[in-house]
């Protein structure tokens, strides 16, 4: 695969653009809206869509400038088509289609989850298939078998809440403002992860690779209620550490189990929850003890970004000009997995 | 000067190619859900039918609403993407004023023109304008999201008026108002965005939502309640 790819990502609350040259990232610009949404305690789709619209062209300009290239130098344009907030996706898709159409370029429509998985293909990790990939974020929690980057296969996923969602909800119960991930992790550093025995999702239920996070969130709610305001304040660090452990340990455990079952030599993690230090530690430790290669991207490549969309574009079919003019964004993931 | 104009604020998106001597071609999409999502496909066909390629375009004019939020954003994102890629200026124009301008042909002496776009949730985006001899519009009621009954009362105060647009039927009938005839005067025509820019100059390419996101409205209500308490 040759030529520069300009990639655009607007599926949730980050407006992102990147220029990638094969495995090399020439630029990766992310305009985060996290602060904007924090007053609402979560991502508000209409607010996100409004902000993408006023930001996306400047972010594209910045990505081109930082890469030291012009739009003329770009071979293909890539954009996140699905899944995500539809109003947010549509801004990126309309922008990418217009940029590609006006310049006679081909367009690659990328699945956001394919992007998270393909992030480890980029330098410096440069992980080659086969491996198993954990993707955990506010919207997704899944493990895929990547025998080939073009067609990751779903092995297991959450049956209810996403891991990131459980983290945000737990953080809120402990009085940590949205987004709760960094705050919970900081608090947990001073706590004992074994202080409270929160139910680990689907523990002891056979060899499955699925997840469940509804129970742990409810368990925290009860403990906080029983401890009362004073008791909760006194034990916040232990609560945070135990709760975080109940969420990230099953992620690491099932990822290792998936690697064993499928006999692959490597594991990877991605998605916003993969920025969590405890998860990164557990995955590193688990992989080392099993002699597995482990690909843990830089935090900036775990959370939503466009470089990963540019990476996935290398493994997705390009739609030749002008046959994409009628292509559309799609809110949902396709049944069973990833649209490559 | 070849101008490409588009408006996706209403369920019947409109596109036009306008040259120095006037409109070269116009295209409407029928009332289909999410019609705005087809706007680039429609643009491709419109340009193709005129023997024009994107690189021939010299300027873009886009309707900034008011209307459907998603539709407006697709129109603006498309316009800005084309403009960014081609290195040509993109100008904004009010979809509501373009609707008013198109309906002036149905306007009798002394009547105001009241463009009305369906805002869903039993509201309308509407305003009212006096029309002068050379079809210039003078704002009499500022565009806003209205309860249709409240808008009718405001209009009754302002004077006799002809109402046009896909939200016209939502406004209660008054002795002093009448509906514009069916046909093109009921729709936003992209070519009239260009005419509006020629009359009044361009607007910034920013959406005229005329309504806050629900979450923001609730947040402000909560803050107001807290301030009272
Ligand atoms: Zn993501």
């Amino acid at each position: 695969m040759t030529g520069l790819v300009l990639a655009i990502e607007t599926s949730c609350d980050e407006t992102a653009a990147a220029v990638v040259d094969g495995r090399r990232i020439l630029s990766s610009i992310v305009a985060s809206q996290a602060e904007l949404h924090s007053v609402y305690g979560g991502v508000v789709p209409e607010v996100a869509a409004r902000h993408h619209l006023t930001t996306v062209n400047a972010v594209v300009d910045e990505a081109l400038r930082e890469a030291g290239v012009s739009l003329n130098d770009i071979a293909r344009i890539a954009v996140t088509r699905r899944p995500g907030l539809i109003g947010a996706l549509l801004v990126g898709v309309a922008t990418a289609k217009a940029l590609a159409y006006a310049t006679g370029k081909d367009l690659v429509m990328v699945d956001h989850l394919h992007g998270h998985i393909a992030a480890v293909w980029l330098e410096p990790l440069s992980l080659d298939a086969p491996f198993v990939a954990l993707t955990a974020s506010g919207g997704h929690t899944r493990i895929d078998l990547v025998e080939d980057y073009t067609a990751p296969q779903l092995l297991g996923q959450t049956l209810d809440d996403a891991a990131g969602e459980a983290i945000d909800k737990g953080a809120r119960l402990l009085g940590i403002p949205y987004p709760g991930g960094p705050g919970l992790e900081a608090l947990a550093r001073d706590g004992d992860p074994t202080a409270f025995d929160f139910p680990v999702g689907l523990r002891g239920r056979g060899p499955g690779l699925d997840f469940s996070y509804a129970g742990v969130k409810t368990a925290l709610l009860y403990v906080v209620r029983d401890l009362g305001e004073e008791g909760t304040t006194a034990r916040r660090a232990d609560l945070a550490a135990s709760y975080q452990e109940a969420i990230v340990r099953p992620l690491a455990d099932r990822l290792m189990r998936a690697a064993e079952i499928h006999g692959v030599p490597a594991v990877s993690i991605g998605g916003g929850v993969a920025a969590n230090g405890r998860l990164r530690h557990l995955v590193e430790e688990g992989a080392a003890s099993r002699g597995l290669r482990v690909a843990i991207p830089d935090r900036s490549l775990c959370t939503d970004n466009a470089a990963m969309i540019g990476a996935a574009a290398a493994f997705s079919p390009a739609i030749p000009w002008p046959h994409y003019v009628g292509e559309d964004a799609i809110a949902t993931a396709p049944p069973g997995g990833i649209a490559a | 000067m070849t101008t490409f104009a588009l408006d996706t604020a209403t369920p019947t998106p409109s596109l036009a190619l306008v040259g120095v001597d006037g409109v070269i071609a116009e295209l409407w999409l029928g009332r289909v859900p999410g019609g705005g999502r087809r706007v680039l496909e429609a643009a491709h066909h419109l340009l193709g039918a005129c023997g024009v390629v994107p690189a021939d375009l010299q300027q873009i004019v886009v309707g900034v609403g008011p209307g459907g939020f998603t539709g407006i954003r697709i129109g603006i994102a498309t316009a800005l993407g084309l403009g960014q890629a081609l290195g040509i200026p993109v100008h904004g124009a009010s979809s509501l004023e373009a609707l008013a301008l198109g309906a002036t042909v149905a306007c009798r002496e002394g009547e105001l023109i009241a463009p009305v776009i369906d805002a869903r949730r039993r509201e309308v985006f509407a305003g009212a304008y006096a029309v002068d001899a050379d079809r210039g519009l003078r704002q009499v009621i500022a565009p806003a999201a209205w309860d249709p009954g409240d808008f009718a009362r405001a209009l009754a105060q302002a004077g006799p008026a002809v109402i046009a647009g896909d939200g016209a039927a939502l406004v209660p009938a008054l002795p002093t108002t009448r509906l514009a005839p069916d046909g093109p005067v009921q729709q936003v025509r992209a070519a009239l965005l260009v005419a509006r820019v020629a009359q009044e100059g361009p607007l910034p390419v920013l959406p005229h939502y005329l309504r806050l996101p629900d979450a923001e409205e609730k947040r402000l209500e909560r803050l107001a309640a807290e301030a009272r308490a």
Side-chain angles (χ1 to χ4, degrees):
Chain A
M1 194 61 68
T2 54
L4 302 182
V5 178
L6 169 67
I8 297 172
E9 151 67 40
T10 64
S11 68
C12 190
D13 63 342
E14 320 280 5
T15 315
V19 178
V20 300
D21 181 9
R23 292 189 192 243
R24 224 151 47 85
I25 302 172
L26 301 189
S27 66
S28 180
I29 306 297
V30 179
S32 177
Q33 304 178 8
E35 197 132 318
L36 208 63
H37 295 279
S38 64
V39 297
Y40 307 107
V43 176
V44 178
E46 176 63 20
V47 172
R50 289 186 181 198
H51 199 70
H52 284 308
L53 182 67
T54 53
T55 312
V56 66
N57 302 96
V59 169
V60 166
D61 265 342
E62 184 65 23
L64 292 169
R65 189 166 38 241
E66 196 175 299
V69 301
S70 76
L71 202 50
N72 288 333
D73 302 320
I74 299 294
R76 293 186 310 286
I77 293 176
V79 67
T80 305
R81 181 221 294 266
R82 73 191 301 179
L85 305 170
I86 190 67
L89 286 165
L90 280 166
V91 172
V93 167
T95 301
K97 278 166 61 177
L99 288 171
Y101 177 69
T103 49
K105 298 182 198 305
D106 296 349
L107 184 72
V108 191
M109 303 200 75
V110 174
D111 187 309
H112 180 82
L113 289 159
H114 199 189
H116 275 303
I117 291 169
V120 294
W121 179 72
L122 295 166
E123 291 173 1
L125 295 172
S126 306
L127 183 65
D128 286 316
F131 62 100
V132 288
L134 167 70
T135 310
S137 69
H140 314 282
T141 305
R142 54 186 289 143
I143 292 175
D144 286 89
L145 172 62
V146 187
E147 286 181 306
D148 174 338
Y149 269 104
T150 58
Q153 298 160 54
L154 179 68
L155 297 177
Q157 62 186 330
T158 182
L159 303 177
D160 37 59
D161 292 352
E165 198 181 347
I167 286 176
D168 281 335
K169 286 175 178 170
R172 193 182 309 172
L173 282 173
L174 297 175
I176 298 163
Y178 175 88
L184 186 82
E185 187 181 344
L187 191 57
R189 240 170 257 138
D190 303 323
D192 174 5
T194 61
F196 293 89
D197 187 24
F198 290 117
V200 170
L202 300 184
R203 180 167 50 190
R205 280 176 50 185
L209 294 168
D210 286 333
F211 301 91
S212 170
Y213 284 113
V216 66
K217 179 190 69 194
T218 312
L220 176 65
L221 182 70
Y222 288 146
V223 169
V224 165
R225 208 185 50 189
D226 292 348
L227 283 173
E229 213 176 303
E230 231 167 86
T232 300
T233 307
R235 306 206 57 192
R236 261 175 105 222
D238 286 345
L239 285 166
S242 302
Y243 185 73
Q244 173 179 267
E245 195 72 4
I247 289 168
V248 302
R249 186 169 280 284
L251 296 175
D253 287 352
R254 281 181 185 58
L255 182 64
M256 296 311 144
R257 190 191 289 172
E260 274 162 13
I261 292 171
H262 294 277
V264 293
V267 298
S268 77
I269 60 174
V273 176
N276 180 280
R278 179 66 183 157
L279 175 64
R280 294 165 85 91
H281 171 76
L282 289 174
V283 168
E284 259 165 11
E285 196 180 64
S289 72
R290 290 166 178 81
L292 296 167
R293 186 175 170 204
V294 57
I296 299 184
D298 186 75
R299 282 179 168 78
S300 64
L301 276 178
C302 291
T303 50
D304 289 350
N305 65 88
M308 70 184 199
I309 301 304
F315 304 98
S316 311
I319 308 171
W321 187 95
H323 295 285
Y324 45 79
V325 289
E327 292 290 333
D328 208 350
I330 303 169
T332 55
I338 288 169
Chain B
M1 174 69 80
T2 307
T3 301
F4 172 59
L6 69 162
D7 189 285
T8 49
T10 70
T12 56
S14 163
L15 301 83
L17 205 57
V18 180
V20 275
D21 299 325
V23 178
I24 298 166
E26 286 186 88
L27 187 156
W28 270 295
L29 297 184
R31 186 178 264 277
V32 290
R37 299 183 185 196
R38 309 301 292 268
V39 74
L40 190 67
E41 189 173 15
H44 176 59
H45 292 299
L46 182 76
L47 297 185
C50 299
V52 167
V53 295
D56 296 333
L57 301 177
Q58 289 163 298
Q59 168 181 281
I60 295 169
V61 176
V62 61
V64 295
F69 298 163
T70 301
I72 293 170
R73 279 193 287 267
I74 293 171
I76 291 179
T78 301
L80 290 176
L82 292 172
Q84 185 173 22
L86 296 169
I88 59 174
V90 181
H91 299 307
S94 162
S95 306
L96 201 66
E97 288 175 5
L99 176 61
L101 198 57
T104 55
V105 295
C107 220
R108 294 177 193 143
E109 182 82 35
E111 270 182 336
L112 300 173
I113 174 73
V116 181
I117 290 173
D118 186 352
R120 310 270 187 89
R121 305 180 184 178
R122 298 194 209 116
E123 283 192 334
V124 290
F125 296 125
Y129 301 83
V131 184
D132 63 28
D134 54 356
R135 291 180 79 204
L137 302 175
R138 186 172 53 79
Q139 184 179 295
V140 175
I141 299 175
W146 289 87
D147 168 83
D150 291 346
F151 180 68
R153 279 184 284 280
L155 203 52
Q157 301 257 304
V162 58
I163 304 177
D166 71 351
L170 300 171
V171 179
L174 296 170
T176 54
T177 59
R178 63 187 182 87
L179 295 178
D182 280 344
V185 299
Q186 297 287 355
Q187 293 175 336
V188 178
R189 284 177 55 194
L192 295 177
L193 299 169
V194 184
R196 192 67 191 141
V197 168
Q199 279 183 341
E200 294 280 327
L203 299 177
V205 188
L206 290 170
H208 288 195
Y209 293 117
L210 302 187
R211 211 190 243 160
L212 294 171
D214 290 347
E216 177 62 8
E217 211 150 273
K218 286 201 192 94
R219 190 179 74 91
L220 294 177
E221 277 168 20
R222 201 184 62 231
L223 290 178
E226 280 167 17
R228 277 195 303 272

